[in-house]
Amino acid sequence: MALSQLLIGLVSLCLTYGVSPVLARSTDKVPYCPVFYESSLLKNVVMRCKPVPETFLDFIPSDREVPQAEIEVLEDAFEALAVLQQVYFDSEAGTWPLANDWTAAVHETVMAGTLTTLTKALRSIHLRPFNDWKAKENLISFYYSQLVGSYFGQDILSIRGQAYDDILWVVLGWLEAVQFVTTHSKMHYPAQATNPTGSRSLEEALKSLPWHGNHWMPAFAHRSRVFWGLATSGWGDDLCHGGMTWNPRLRPYKNAITNELWISASVSMYQYFPGDNYSSPFVASSLYPSKDPAHLAAAIVGYKWLKDVNMTNARGLYVDGYHIDFSIPGNVECDMRDEMVYTYNQGVILTGQRGLYSVTGSPSYLEEGHNLIQSVINATGWSLEHNRPHDDLSVYPPGVLPPWHGLGRGGVLEEQCDSSATCSQDSQTFKAIYFHHLVAFCTDLEPISAAPHRIVNKRAYQILRTAHIESCRSYLGWVHHNVLAAMETVDLNGQFGMWWGAGLFNNTVVTRDGDGIDHSAENVTDYRNQGTPNDEIWGQDTQWLPGSGRWMPGDPNPIIGQSGNTDQQVLSRLSGMSKLAPDPVTDPNSRGRGRTGETQIGGLALLRAFWELSQLGRNQ
Ligand SMILES: *[C@@H]1O[C@H](CO)[C@@H](O)[C@H](O)[C@H]1NC(C)=O
Ligand SMILES: *[C@@H]1O[C@H](CO)[C@@H](O)[C@H](O)[C@H]1NC(C)=O
Ligand SMILES: *[C@@H]1O[C@H](CO)[C@@H](O)[C@H](O)[C@H]1NC(C)=O
Ligand SMILES: *[C@@H]1O[C@H](CO)[C@@H](O)[C@H](O)[C@H]1NC(C)=O
Ligand SMILES: *[C@@H]1O[C@H](CO)[C@@H](O)[C@H](O)[C@H]1NC(C)=O
């Protein structure tokens, strides 16, 4: 139907305007040919499509030096993980006790992703003299046991009563754990995975037990499935013709984050959910298959809705969301847009786009993801084409920050609350989320498996894969620039600060009035830091306040005090970066909430991104 409408539209345009402008327009509307399709579905459909894109860049990448992450970067990432667990994790409670429910779920997600990176890296890297497998496996299992502990420390009863975005972080987190277990088992225990439940015969058990971590897969699968199911009631067609609402207890607000999470969690369920046979007090039925078409349909419909409602601004960045103007009687349209821009809204959708490409073979999802990444990089004040900041940073005297570009300055990704140290616990987590999903997006395109009735265009796949890797590698200069900046915020204990630009901009201390950002722009509500206003638009009887954790700004930092005895000897390069104890007067990152588990996973996710993007195409 869409196709015939398009053709009718083209014919009438031809009659009105003549031929040439129409041809230019028509190619824009024709979709890219998928790199594979199921012949059974397309038998009688005449597909008009254009060849896959040969590049996602609008410039020719010169043969400039691409920074490569060397082994030190892996060591730094490991150290960031070690500090995260030593300083912020409590094994007895099975959680990161200073995190709130949803930021703890993101801690778990970032940790699981890091374990996937670590197991891949340990396979290919020789660490003399500790190259024996037992030591490597022991290390992975050490962190994995903490990950499993956090399954039991997760406060599921509390999260069940929270907003739909809180619920969906849980889904993504345990699917990330599923992916880690799958990767680790396939890589290191290939032939043995025949008897997941174990055996009562000693000989059989030794012969056929898969990696022990598989034991927890059904639990992870179960929790992902239950929480995905809880989120389904957030979708509604009665307002805005679809979309997820953010919080059932507030006035309807359909925001980017809840919808992006819904899309990414749904397609990830389709890709990674291994099936669930648990029965539980919460659910009546007990048989849920993997590869459930309902998950895929939810992702596709959700993505189409998000694109059609237009949540991006003129710079190509996701704004925060839409209200419905209830001053118009009977109105159901998403027609009041909040223009606030946060970093995490640019990130979570990337997992959805990458997943939708994987399961449909359609290159447009990849193209839209690369466009978004490039819009973000540009909005940090970085020129991809020239591989340097837009502004010459040397001309700004101490105390003067380079200009704000929408999502950062001087080429460094920045939350609007970073430089003034006014971030809530929620927004302290956002940059970690961004880089976690950038890694998910920039993984190599997996080979397309053969299947009955599946037609694979191998040449198109190769072209697309080359374009994808080339683009992701072109982001390395920017990622490296951010790594260098963030490393300057690491303190004596190996703890990352929130505002990565602090060191790069000479530790200039600014307040919200003097940070160069227009915080009072029209229709911009920074509710993630300031809470929702009590007004007509957001609601007068209910107010939402951002997570404050158990530690209020201004209180002494409980972390730095109690962890002063971290053993410096085991720490590597990263701890050598800074030898100064943070001084609130000269260290902008000691202000506000200071260094936390949330800022630590930010540094960790960033280092992991640098490592993973550097590995792309290395073995070609
Ligand atoms: C669930 O149960 C079905 C039927 O009993 C079985 O075929 C399937 O393998 C089980 N799936 C999992 C993930 O245990
Ligand atoms: C979405 O809205 C923004 C801001 O009004 C506008 O600049 C942009 O062109 C719109 N995008 C689409 C695809 O309509
Ligand atoms: C890239 O950033 C520059 C500087 O902020 C801005 O002038 C330009 O419009 C941006 N380009 C795009 C495509 O958004
Ligand atoms: C602010 O929102 C109102 C209501 O949706 C709209 O009419 C107005 O154009 C918006 N202004 C800006 C600058 O986006
Ligand atoms: C940074 O500031 C300090 C003291 O304000 C000054 O001595 C130093 O030269 C500045 N460095 C740069 C690179 O501007």
Side-chain angles (χ1 to χ4, degrees):
M1 186 175 113
L3 187 67
S4 58
Q5 276 175 352
L6 177 73
L7 291 177
I8 292 167
L10 282 176
V11 170
S12 59
L13 273 169
C14 275
L15 294 173
T16 322
Y17 298 108
V19 173
S20 49
V22 174
L23 286 181
R25 285 181 76 144
S26 69
T27 42
D28 280 356
K29 302 264 177 160
V30 174
Y32 289 116
C33 302
V35 292
F36 67 86
Y37 53 94
E38 317 299 332
S39 59
S40 54
L41 296 179
L42 293 172
K43 213 157 227 159
N44 295 315
V45 181
V46 184
M47 268 266 287
R48 265 163 51 85
C49 63
K50 57 182 177 183
V52 301
E54 296 189 3
T55 180
F56 295 113
L57 301 171
D58 56 8
F59 58 93
I60 298 174
S62 51
D63 32 350
R64 64 190 184 211
E65 276 291 289
V66 181
Q68 294 289 334
E70 300 305 337
I71 184 76
E72 290 78 18
V73 175
L74 183 68
E75 291 198 24
D76 286 342
F78 175 74
E79 183 179 333
L81 171 68
V83 170
L84 176 70
Q85 292 308 96
Q86 281 168 22
V87 174
Y88 299 106
F89 189 72
D90 179 343
S91 295
E92 234 170 289
T95 191
W96 300 266
L98 293 171
N100 64 35
D101 288 327
W102 86 263
T103 70
V106 178
H107 284 53
E108 184 272 314
T109 312
V110 170
M111 189 180 176
T114 304
L115 288 182
T116 301
T117 294
L118 202 57
T119 190
K120 287 192 294 182
L122 287 181
R123 182 175 70 156
S124 53
I125 282 165
H126 285 263
L127 291 170
R128 270 168 295 135
F130 301 108
N131 205 36
D132 80 297
W133 170 245
K134 233 156 81 181
K136 290 178 179 178
E137 170 63 37
N138 188 35
L139 183 66
I140 299 271
S141 289
F142 173 65
Y143 287 109
Y144 179 69
S145 71
Q146 294 169 44
L147 193 82
V148 171
S150 79
Y151 180 87
F152 297 98
Q154 190 162 55
D155 190 349
I156 45 173
L157 286 178
S158 155
I159 302 173
R160 288 172 70 88
Q162 293 171 18
Y164 292 115
D165 53 349
D166 300 283
I167 286 171
L168 286 163
W169 296 111
V170 174
V171 180
L172 281 182
W174 297 112
L175 290 176
E176 194 70 45
V178 165
Q179 289 174 71
F180 160 67
V181 173
T182 309
T183 306
H184 186 70
S185 309
K186 277 203 184 133
M187 206 167 260
H188 302 292
Y189 298 84
Q192 297 179 30
T194 54
N195 188 356
T197 53
S199 164
R200 293 185 182 187
S201 139
L202 181 58
E203 192 191 329
E204 271 304 306
L206 285 169
K207 211 161 68 188
S208 67
L209 189 70
W211 181 57
H212 68 81
N214 282 279
H215 182 69
W216 301 105
M217 282 277 260
F220 301 161
H222 176 68
R223 189 161 296 166
S224 311
R225 200 261 305 157
V226 169
F227 276 73
W228 186 85
L230 288 172
T232 52
S233 50
W235 182 275
D237 290 324
D238 45 342
L239 295 174
C240 311
H241 316 285
M244 293 284 287
T245 196
W246 167 42
N247 192 323
R249 278 161 293 280
L250 300 176
R251 292 201 122 194
Y253 181 53
K254 301 214 170 181
N255 60 2
I257 195 57
T258 313
N259 284 281
E260 294 184 9
L261 280 164
W262 173 244
I263 294 160
S264 295
S266 296
V267 75
S268 297
M269 283 294 283
Y270 185 73
Q271 292 178 279
Y272 306 116
F273 174 63
D276 174 16
N277 285 345
Y278 262 56
S279 49
S280 96
F282 299 126
V283 282
S285 170
S286 63
L287 191 67
Y288 294 85
S290 65
K291 291 269 172 283
D292 186 342
H295 293 141
L296 179 56
I300 289 177
V301 171
Y303 191 75
K304 182 169 179 344
W305 179 84
L306 185 64
K307 285 209 49 183
D308 289 349
V309 78
N310 187 13
M311 272 212 215
T312 48
N313 64 19
R315 305 205 48 164
L317 302 175
Y318 274 92
V319 299
D320 195 77
Y322 275 103
H323 302 278
I324 293 108
D325 186 353
F326 287 120
S327 68
I328 305 169
N331 186 30
V332 297
E333 301 301 323
C334 265
D335 51 4
M336 294 174 89
R337 207 164 96 139
D338 197 288
E339 305 286 336
M340 182 65 199
V341 173
Y342 294 109
T343 62
Y344 76 153
N345 280 334
Q346 326 305 323
V348 172
I349 192 63
L350 296 173
T351 286
Q353 288 163 326
R354 182 65 180 74
L356 281 167
Y357 157 75
S358 289
V359 299
T360 65
S362 170
S364 61
Y365 294 114
L366 284 185
E367 183 177 67
E368 284 156 15
H370 281 293
N371 288 345
L372 175 59
I373 294 168
Q374 288 163 33
S375 297
V376 166
I377 292 177
N378 190 54
T380 66
W382 181 266
S383 163
L384 257 191
E385 181 173 359
H386 302 106
N387 210 29
R388 58 172 152 74
H390 288 313
D391 307 299
D392 176 0
L393 300 184
S394 66
V395 305
Y396 299 95
V400 179
L401 295 175
W404 180 252
H405 284 274
L407 210 53
R409 63 186 109 218
V412 179
L413 186 67
E414 192 177 313
E415 214 64 63
Q416 292 195 17
C417 54
D418 278 6
S419 59
S420 56
T422 52
C423 296
S424 67
Q425 184 164 28
D426 291 349
S427 45
Q428 277 205 323
T429 320
F430 291 174
K431 296 204 296 297
I433 294 165
Y434 183 78
F435 279 98
H436 178 83
H437 292 277
L438 180 68
V439 170
F441 184 84
C442 272
T443 49
D444 197 352
L445 301 189
E446 59 277 33
I448 302 163
S449 52
H453 309 299
R454 175 172 288 179
I455 296 176
V456 181
N457 185 340
K458 288 206 177 108
R459 206 179 105 73
Y461 164 77
Q462 277 310 337
I463 291 170
L464 194 68
R465 180 170 176 231
T466 306
H468 178 66
I469 292 178
E470 175 196 65
S471 299
C472 282
R473 286 184 63 80
S474 80
Y475 311 147
L476 269 168
W478 174 74
V479 176
H480 183 231
H481 180 69
N482 278 267
V483 166
L484 291 181
M487 294 287 273
E488 285 188 48
T489 72
V490 174
D491 74 358
L492 198 58
N493 285 322
Q495 291 163 252
F496 281 86
M498 177 66 197
W499 178 28
W500 295 343
L504 191 62
F505 311 136
N506 206 17
N507 290 324
T508 300
V509 172
V510 293
T511 61
R512 216 159 169 268
D513 296 330
D515 61 9
I517 303 167
D518 180 4
H519 294 288
S520 56
E522 202 182 329
N523 301 339
V524 170
T525 315
D526 184 7
Y527 66 104
R528 288 288 172 186
N529 292 301
Q530 313 284 319
T532 58
N534 253 319
D535 63 13
E536 290 268 308
I537 297 176
W538 290 88
Q540 275 155 330
D541 35 359
T542 44
Q543 198 181 5
W544 179 90
L545 294 172
S548 62
R550 279 157 234 183
W551 164 28
M552 298 303 287
D555 287 353
N557 183 335
I559 296 291
I560 291 171
Q562 84 195 21
S563 64
N565 56 357
T566 313
D567 182 1
Q568 293 295 304
Q569 293 317 108
V570 301
L571 302 183
S572 69
R573 241 170 42 103
L574 194 143
S575 41
M577 293 292 296
S578 165
K579 286 296 170 204
L580 295 173
D583 171 352
V585 179
T586 56
D587 171 29
N589 278 307
S590 297
R591 299 171 304 155
R593 300 191 79 251
R595 292 173 174 79
T596 63
E598 285 80 11
T599 65
Q600 189 66 17
I601 57 173
L604 173 56
L606 173 63
L607 286 166
R608 174 175 176 238
F610 185 36
W611 173 261
E612 286 286 357
L613 266 61
S614 293
Q615 306 308 305
L616 278 176
R618 272 203 167 172
N619 304 320
Q620 280 187 322

